[in-house]
Amino acid sequence: ESVLTQSPDTLSLSPGQRATLSCRASQSVSSYLAWYQQKPGQAPRLLIYDASSRATGIPDRFSGSGSGTDFTLTITRLEPEDFAVYYCQQYGSPLTFGGGTKVEIK
Amino acid sequence: QVQLVQSGSELKKPGASVKVSCKTSGYTFTMFGMNWVRQAPGQGPEWLGWINTRTGKPTYAQNFEGRFVFSLDTSISTAYLQISGLKADDSAVYYCARGIDGSDYVIVYWGQGTLVTVSS
């Protein structure tokens, strides 16, 4: 089972700034990696799958990259609604989630 | 539109059992498998496993074999999660969750969540 480690735990940024979130897998997951956004009291929302494909309706300020063991989620210009917790998830075998990165307003 | 509607919150004593339902609509139930995910307060999501809705065959994540049972009633497009021998650290929000077309494990539709609290 591949363990996912996300960094940093918390990212303090201002609206308009760029956010770069990291997810590292303990063993290769090829491109079987997704990113989710979660706000308090809500279920996670799919942003990116297959490492770099945006889900339906996701703005193009969200982008994903990487393969194998190292992955990145980039938010080019933070909007007020982007402050949330972000999780990576691998679905190579079996399915596991990372511990999350909180993007908070500085 | 696709909807997954779960049963309401539960308060149970340690050692008891609970059964959570997930009623689906807006798509053909047997065309997509169903995942179960839980999330303890302040923690990340944790995948419990998946059930093949065509065959009824469940696949459990490593830590969730034995006390966790997935089942179906395809006649009413509903999936169930039953947990027996509840422990305090089973307290969490439990979600049923469906994948995208082409991958059951890329989760795009989630139920609203069922809070299960285990306390004496």
Side-chain angles (χ1 to χ4, degrees):
Chain A
E1 162 176 310
S2 188
V3 176
L4 299 180
T5 302
Q6 292 188 239
S7 61
D9 290 337
T10 304
L11 205 47
S12 297
L13 296 168
S14 301
Q17 287 193 292
R18 180 187 190 93
T20 303
L21 288 67
S22 173
C23 176
R24 179 162 289 177
S26 61
Q27 58 195 64
S28 176
V29 297
S30 184
S31 294
Y32 297 123
L33 190 104
W35 290 94
Y36 297 82
Q37 176 194 70
Q38 188 175 33
K39 297 179 180 178
Q42 297 182 15
R45 173 194 181 199
L46 177 67
L47 301 174
I48 301 287
Y49 64 99
D50 292 348
S52 60
S53 297
R54 261 189 305 278
T56 302
I58 301 303
D60 60 9
R61 65 180 181 273
F62 291 91
S63 65
S65 63
S67 66
T69 60
D70 288 291
F71 300 88
T72 301
L73 174 70
T74 302
I75 312 170
T76 50
R77 287 174 310 279
L78 282 164
E79 298 286 342
E81 61 269 25
D82 299 337
F83 292 91
V85 180
Y86 292 82
Y87 295 99
C88 57
Q89 172 223 349
Q90 65 82 16
Y91 44 102
S93 181
L95 190 161
T96 54
F97 289 88
T101 290
K102 181 179 183 180
V103 179
E104 66 176 24
I105 299 177
K106 187 172 181 180
Chain B
Q1 72 282 23
V2 174
Q3 288 192 307
L4 284 65
V5 179
Q6 299 183 225
S7 49
S9 298
E10 301 270 7
L11 174 60
K12 296 291 184 181
K13 294 192 185 307
S17 296
V18 69
K19 192 169 187 176
V20 176
S21 66
C22 171
K23 182 163 178 59
T24 71
S25 60
Y27 72 99
T28 302
F29 184 66
T30 52
M31 291 292 288
F32 297 86
M34 187 64 74
N35 296 281
W36 288 95
V37 178
R38 77 178 182 183
Q39 190 168 26
Q43 303 296 313
E46 191 173 24
W47 185 68
L48 309 183
W50 169 88
I51 185 165
N52 185 319
T53 53
R54 273 193 292 264
T55 65
K57 182 176 186 291
T59 299
Y60 299 99
Q62 190 173 7
N63 295 336
F64 297 100
E65 300 212 43
R67 296 191 299 118
F68 294 77
V69 176
F70 308 147
S71 60
L72 306 170
D73 186 340
T74 57
S75 69
I76 55 171
S77 302
T78 299
Y80 300 94
L81 164 66
Q82 183 159 358
I83 312 169
S84 58
L86 283 163
K87 307 174 185 178
D89 61 6
D90 290 323
S91 296
V93 176
Y94 287 79
Y95 294 100
C96 57
R98 202 212 86 176
I100 61 172
D101 195 2
S103 175
D104 278 332
Y105 303 125
V106 177
I107 298 172
V108 66
Y109 296 107
W110 299 75
Q112 83 276 21
T114 296
L115 175 63
V116 175
T117 303
V118 183
S119 174
S120 54

